[in-house]
Amino acid sequence: MSRGKKVSSELSQKQKDADVVIVGGGAAGFFAAAHIAEAAPGLRIAILERGGEVLSKVKVSGGGRCNVTHAEFVPRELAGNYPRGQKELLGPFHSFCSGDTVEFFESRGVRLKIEEDGRMFPITDSSQTIIDCLVRETSGRGVEVYTGHAVKQVNKGKDGWELVTSKGNFNCCKLLIATGGSPKMWDIAGQLGHTIVPPVPSLFTFHIKDPRISGLMGISAMVTVRLSDGGGKMMFEGPLLITHWGMSGPAVLKLSAWAARELHRCNYRFKVEVNWLRTVSFSDALEILRGYNRKSGKKYVHASRPFDIPKRLWTRLAEASGIRESQRWAEISKNGLEQLAEQLTKGIFKVNGKSTFKEEFVTAGGVDLKEIDFKTFESKIHKNLFFAGEVLNIDAVTGGFNFQNAWTGGFLAARGIVEKSGS
């Protein structure tokens, strides 16, 4: 925790009153608190964090660098990166988009940079820079942070909300739940009448044991990948990285996110089809191979290739097509060329399990989006109850998009809370 921040680990009394209670000391919670405090300085705001430290996910994100957002500044294009929440976030992104996130941090002295893939980080390459900024924006502005306060129960009263925590009770008029994927808070939201879409993992890598990729860890290629059984609509282009356990990379992660529920239903036992030539079709690949066969007949197949794919991968795919190391192009039969074209453009790989992508554990699931007013992120079931961040059934592909959902939801919830508070 940064210097100057007043943190209370114990309540000064068994019952504490606040105008606004925010459950969850993460990105969405702190961002909301900062905006409420700025717009309505007189409001008493309490952040309840069950852990011993706040902003812990910000701390570890992006390998400790914090992937703040993504350099996609068009709301519709930005919304296209959310398998759950794409339609619902379109309006909110018109109110607070990635450009607004950049402006918020840079106007407070935190400069951001854009990397080649569009991800945005602080120029310090340290997540502590983001943490310090958020803490500064809430310090001394009527925001009190209570760590080690696990919320056990939420009761709706006549004039607001009562929260029972592991270290005392709180009363408030406005309640914002921004706890991320917390099963306990999902249970509490369910007890309050909200529908909870059961959470399943999203953003994961594929376990594949296959001689075509065994021992090739570290090799990457630009591919198109899709589910081989009935998943033709879920087709993604991009880099694929071969790992010691199977496949990873943006193309695989996108497929894992968009097909999260389908893959959960089949217990992560399924098949994927990989086009190692990205957009080249089977017929076009076959035609190119035939031309190369005629032109370069004296060359060895394993040593020469007409496509720009890694040499070791090419050799494996040739072997899988029944082509021996000693064979020249002129010796390859019509069937052999067809087999090679199929391996290149329609290779089927059996997936047998998954792994979490790096330190990111993202879930598909949460509070049903039909029960939220996305102008304010207020519950349609209870007035003065707000949600923001991954506690909602919203998740994104990797690249800073999940944080952008937190910033946008935190901002709009804050604005809604301030407006309803008469400020």
Side-chain angles (χ1 to χ4, degrees):
M1 180 59 72
S2 293
R3 294 186 301 273
K5 183 61 189 174
K6 180 181 178 183
V7 180
S8 303
S9 58
E10 298 289 346
L11 292 176
S12 58
Q13 56 190 62
K14 287 187 177 180
Q15 192 98 356
K16 190 167 182 69
D17 294 331
D19 297 303
V20 182
V21 167
I22 298 171
V23 183
F30 262 83
F31 205 67
H35 282 93
I36 296 169
E38 181 179 46
L43 292 182
R44 298 164 298 164
I45 306 162
I47 296 177
L48 307 184
E49 168 56 46
R50 67 176 179 176
E53 294 183 359
V54 297
L55 297 163
S56 56
K57 191 169 183 179
V58 173
K59 180 77 172 175
V60 300
S61 70
R65 295 197 298 146
C66 188
N67 184 185
V68 176
T69 187
H70 200 92
E72 176 50 75
F73 305 111
V74 179
R76 185 170 296 279
E77 297 299 319
L78 180 62
N81 292 283
Y82 296 81
R84 269 68 51 182
Q86 180 176 12
K87 179 182 68 172
E88 291 81 2
L89 286 174
L90 184 57
F93 283 158
H94 276 92
S95 296
F96 194 92
C97 201
S98 43
D100 299 295
T101 298
V102 174
E103 195 277 332
F104 172 86
F105 285 107
E106 295 203 336
S107 67
R108 289 157 176 81
V110 179
R111 291 177 56 202
L112 304 179
K113 61 179 179 178
I114 303 173
E115 302 203 337
E116 282 188 17
D117 58 5
R119 294 181 301 162
M120 299 192 71
F121 295 87
I123 60 168
T124 59
D125 278 329
S126 172
S127 57
Q128 193 63 44
T129 305
I130 302 301
I131 293 172
D132 290 345
C133 175
L134 293 173
V135 169
R136 273 197 312 272
E137 289 302 304
T138 53
S139 293
R141 288 188 170 185
V143 181
E144 291 194 70
V145 180
Y146 298 88
T147 57
H149 282 65
V151 174
K152 304 292 188 182
Q153 188 177 336
V154 175
N155 301 313
K156 187 178 183 182
K158 181 180 178 182
D159 299 316
W161 301 94
E162 180 193 41
L163 290 86
V164 179
T165 84
S166 56
K167 293 186 177 179
N169 296 357
F170 287 79
N171 290 319
C172 64
C173 300
K174 311 287 188 300
L175 174 61
L176 169 60
I177 297 177
T179 48
S182 167
K184 176 61 178 177
M185 290 311 299
W186 280 330
D187 286 345
I188 289 174
Q191 292 165 14
L192 292 172
H194 274 284
T195 303
I196 306 302
V197 179
V200 300
S202 181
L203 278 189
F204 49 84
T205 61
F206 298 165
H207 287 188
I208 299 172
K209 287 187 176 181
D210 191 292
R212 288 170 290 178
I213 61 172
S214 178
L216 299 186
M217 48 277 232
I219 285 179
S220 63
M222 297 298 292
V223 307
T224 297
V225 61
R226 70 179 182 92
L227 298 182
S228 67
D229 301 321
K233 292 182 180 178
M234 292 185 186
M235 183 181 298
F236 298 95
E237 294 180 30
L240 180 149
L241 174 67
I242 298 173
T243 68
H244 70 273
W245 63 83
M247 293 180 180
S248 184
V252 165
L253 295 171
K254 286 178 184 177
L255 181 59
S256 77
W258 287 88
R261 294 208 167 274
E262 184 173 347
L263 300 185
H264 177 74
R265 283 195 294 270
C266 66
N267 197 29
Y268 307 103
R269 307 295 191 269
F270 57 97
K271 294 177 182 178
V272 290
E273 180 182 294
V274 179
N275 183 340
W276 297 103
L277 305 181
R278 196 172 186 178
T279 57
V280 179
S281 67
F282 169 82
S283 58
D284 287 345
L286 183 57
E287 192 62 35
I288 292 169
L289 290 173
R290 284 170 176 165
Y292 200 80
N293 173 272
R294 291 190 295 268
K295 184 178 68 173
S296 305
K298 294 182 180 180
K299 294 182 179 180
Y300 291 102
V301 177
H302 283 218
S304 59
R305 56 197 188 280
F307 301 105
D308 183 24
I309 67 171
K311 183 178 179 180
R312 292 169 65 202
L313 176 60
W314 167 263
T315 299
R316 293 290 182 84
L317 297 178
E319 289 173 352
S321 306
I323 300 171
R324 300 185 305 277
E325 189 175 357
S326 60
Q327 284 185 290
R328 302 176 190 270
W329 276 100
E331 299 169 346
I332 306 304
S333 66
K334 175 184 176 183
N335 182 62
L337 292 176
E338 290 175 350
Q339 288 292 319
L340 183 54
E342 184 154 328
Q343 286 292 338
L344 287 164
T345 62
K346 297 192 291 185
I348 303 297
F349 292 82
K350 186 178 180 181
V351 180
N352 188 27
K354 63 172 179 58
S355 289
T356 300
F357 175 63
K358 295 184 178 178
E359 75 285 341
E360 298 188 41
F361 185 71
V362 177
T363 57
V367 177
D368 196 314
L369 304 186
K370 294 192 293 290
E371 299 170 356
I372 303 298
D373 178 355
F374 279 93
K375 292 180 180 177
T376 59
F377 282 70
E378 186 176 17
S379 164
K380 292 180 179 178
I381 294 174
H382 297 291
K383 292 185 181 301
N384 299 320
L385 173 62
F386 299 78
F387 295 90
E390 290 179 46
V391 68
L392 296 167
N393 183 27
I394 294 175
D395 63 286
V397 298
T398 187
F401 301 106
N402 282 302
F403 270 134
Q404 185 56 52
N405 168 45
W407 311 135
T408 296
F411 172 81
L412 288 175
R415 192 170 71 179
I417 287 169
V418 169
E419 287 175 355
K420 294 198 73 172
S421 298
S423 300

